[in-house]
Amino acid sequence: MKDLYERLRELSEDEARSLLNDLLNLTVPFTEQGNGEQKALADSIVQMYEKSVQHSHSLRVEAEQRKSMVHLVCSMSDAGSLKVALSNLGNRADNEVLSFNDCFSVGPIKDIDRAEGQRSREFWQMEKLSGFMFNHHMNREHQIQRMIEKITAIAEHNSIIIWCADNAHDQVGLRFIMHLLKNRTNSVHMMNVSELFRLNAASMQTNLPHYAQGLLERDVYLNIVIGYEQAEKIIDSERRRYEAEWMELSLEECTLRIWEDGKIKLAAEEELDRRLIAIIDKLAIESEDGFVKAGAVIGELQDHYFQLIDFRFTEYRLWTLISDGCLAFRGLPNAMHQYSVRNNKGRTI
């Protein structure tokens, strides 16, 4: 018997859930069809299970009620960094962090607060972005519809902090969130890490723009998070402005957005193509045959373009240039490190 308990501890959470499900499937029929002893045992097991579930639910409700502040983030990686920082500050239990798993700088966003708009966006992503479906289904809790449900379910007494930076992805996400919070009475605040970085004189050791949360050094980021309780409140007039700007954005059919001069700029999908060709020509100087790794091309763009764009969109543009005959490729097209590209001289884009 001791060996059974030890082996139980070795089960993963999913394995334990599966085992419990199997035991319930065996037990429940005896609550109706078993003889006296079988029914009594089955009833006691089911009652024990129901009490345990109810107790766990009560603990979760109590934990949620203790949380006075909800943080909204537009990417899972940024949310992970924020959770770690809050834990380091000893404030994780009082703060809930909700995050999208998306990149709002690319793809259609028309009517994405409704099912038809979400389907349209997903179909576009399935067609254009490699590996989209795997990542999409692995993180169901962070899909747009699920996040809409979570945001609209935030209690009225909770304060809300929206985290963003100076990039089209976060700024579109900010406006989408403000649209979802329309007519809510919650106190809504904003932490723009790009602005806060510029205000942090001790961190000004580089001229590179910190256009994304992930670019901040750990200590600098933690120093910013420390001040979250003094986050700037978004006043009513600003809330109305963000809501109106979202309505304008959500009517557009474009599938690429960039951040330029403090504004979201709508761009054609071909916006990146000339930059990609120029990068390939630059890297090809050190190549004997003119071929350069696709991953190196995309990495170079991300390092010097200062825009937060899904790398899968950039790869989609590479393959468009290949299909159009502007680029040649060799290797295996399964992953960026497995194939190389070369400029087909004389072809124009």
Side-chain angles (χ1 to χ4, degrees):
M1 184 64 70
K2 180 180 178 181
D3 184 51
L4 289 176
Y5 287 112
E6 291 177 350
R7 292 165 65 182
L8 177 62
R9 297 190 189 95
E10 297 175 357
L11 295 179
S12 67
E13 183 176 341
D14 287 341
E15 291 169 336
R17 287 178 183 272
S18 179
L19 175 60
L20 178 58
N21 185 70
D22 291 342
L23 291 174
L24 285 174
N25 287 336
L26 290 172
T27 302
V28 170
F30 286 106
T31 62
E32 298 178 356
Q33 304 171 2
N35 59 35
E37 292 183 357
Q38 291 173 334
K39 187 177 187 307
L41 177 60
D43 287 341
S44 64
I45 292 175
V46 171
Q47 289 173 10
M48 184 187 305
Y49 168 76
E50 290 176 342
K51 288 181 179 179
S52 178
V53 171
Q54 184 176 3
H55 178 65
S56 297
H57 175 72
S58 298
L59 291 177
R60 286 196 297 272
V61 170
E62 290 175 7
E64 291 302 318
Q65 291 175 342
R66 285 197 302 269
K67 293 178 179 177
S68 58
M69 192 165 290
V70 179
H71 301 258
L72 300 179
V73 192
C74 291
S75 79
M76 291 177 62
S77 60
D78 288 351
S81 298
L82 180 57
K83 290 176 182 179
V84 170
L86 290 171
S87 295
N88 290 340
L89 296 174
N91 295 337
R92 181 71 182 91
D94 299 326
N95 292 268
E96 183 176 12
V97 179
L98 302 177
S99 66
F100 288 93
N101 178 39
D102 219 312
C103 186
F104 294 120
S105 58
V106 302
I109 58 173
K110 184 176 181 180
D111 297 328
I112 60 169
D113 57 340
R114 299 201 293 267
E116 57 269 28
Q118 294 163 27
R119 284 195 297 268
S120 177
R121 179 171 175 81
E122 288 179 14
F123 288 150
W124 183 91
Q125 291 171 312
M126 287 168 55
E127 180 183 359
K128 309 295 186 183
L129 309 182
S130 62
F132 165 74
M133 289 306 296
F134 175 79
N135 186 50
H136 185 62
H137 288 297
M138 283 293 289
N139 298 286
R140 292 181 179 273
E141 287 298 302
H142 303 273
Q143 292 176 8
I144 290 176
Q145 181 54 41
R146 189 71 183 98
M147 282 298 298
I148 290 175
E149 295 169 1
K150 290 181 178 181
I151 290 173
T152 54
I154 295 173
E156 295 286 348
H157 69 271
N158 286 137
S159 295
I160 296 172
I161 297 181
I162 304 172
W163 290 77
C164 63
D166 288 347
N167 60 72
H169 161 60
D170 281 339
Q171 293 296 327
V172 171
L174 166 65
R175 286 152 178 80
F176 182 39
I177 291 170
M178 294 308 304
H179 167 70
L180 297 177
L181 293 173
K182 185 177 182 179
N183 300 324
R184 297 293 298 273
T185 60
N186 301 77
S187 178
V188 182
H189 306 253
M190 178 170 59
M191 291 284 284
N192 184 319
V193 297
S194 297
E195 292 181 359
L196 294 169
F197 171 79
R198 288 191 290 270
L199 293 173
N200 190 331
S203 66
M204 298 300 289
Q205 300 173 358
T206 175
N207 292 322
L208 294 177
H210 281 60
Y211 61 91
Q213 180 172 307
L215 296 175
L216 294 172
E217 295 81 0
R218 181 180 178 277
D219 291 342
V220 173
Y221 177 64
L222 184 60
N223 191 49
I224 288 175
V225 175
I226 288 173
Y228 75 88
E229 292 182 316
Q230 287 76 47
E232 177 186 0
K233 183 177 180 179
I234 304 177
I235 61 176
D236 288 344
S237 61
E238 290 176 324
R239 291 180 66 161
R240 302 292 88 80
R241 176 172 64 85
Y242 286 134
E243 293 166 11
E245 290 177 0
W246 168 256
M247 295 306 297
E248 292 179 7
L249 287 169
S250 67
L251 295 175
E252 298 291 343
E253 301 284 353
C254 86
T255 54
L256 177 62
R257 290 159 286 276
I258 61 176
W259 184 251
E260 190 174 274
D261 298 327
K263 296 181 181 179
I264 299 168
K265 175 186 173 182
L266 307 181
E269 286 192 356
E270 298 79 14
E271 177 83 13
L272 303 182
D273 294 359
R274 293 187 182 278
R275 292 179 181 272
L276 290 171
I277 293 290
I279 289 171
I280 291 169
D281 289 342
K282 172 187 172 183
L283 297 179
I285 294 175
E286 300 180 1
S287 171
E288 294 181 358
D289 54 9
F291 278 98
V292 294
K293 289 290 186 182
V297 176
I298 294 174
E300 185 79 4
L301 180 74
Q302 292 180 322
D303 288 343
H304 295 93
Y305 190 32
F306 308 134
Q307 297 287 340
L308 190 56
I309 297 173
D310 192 328
F311 73 90
R312 296 172 300 180
F313 178 85
T314 309
E315 187 178 23
Y316 150 64
R317 292 312 307 169
L318 275 183
W319 280 105
T320 301
L321 291 171
I322 292 170
S323 299
D324 291 344
C326 297
L327 298 179
F329 94 98
R330 71 179 183 193
L332 301 175
N334 296 326
M336 289 183 291
H337 68 279
Q338 293 183 316
Y339 68 93
S340 301
V341 293
R342 182 182 65 188
N343 187 0
N344 274 343
K345 301 293 184 180
R347 299 298 297 268
T348 58
I349 59 173

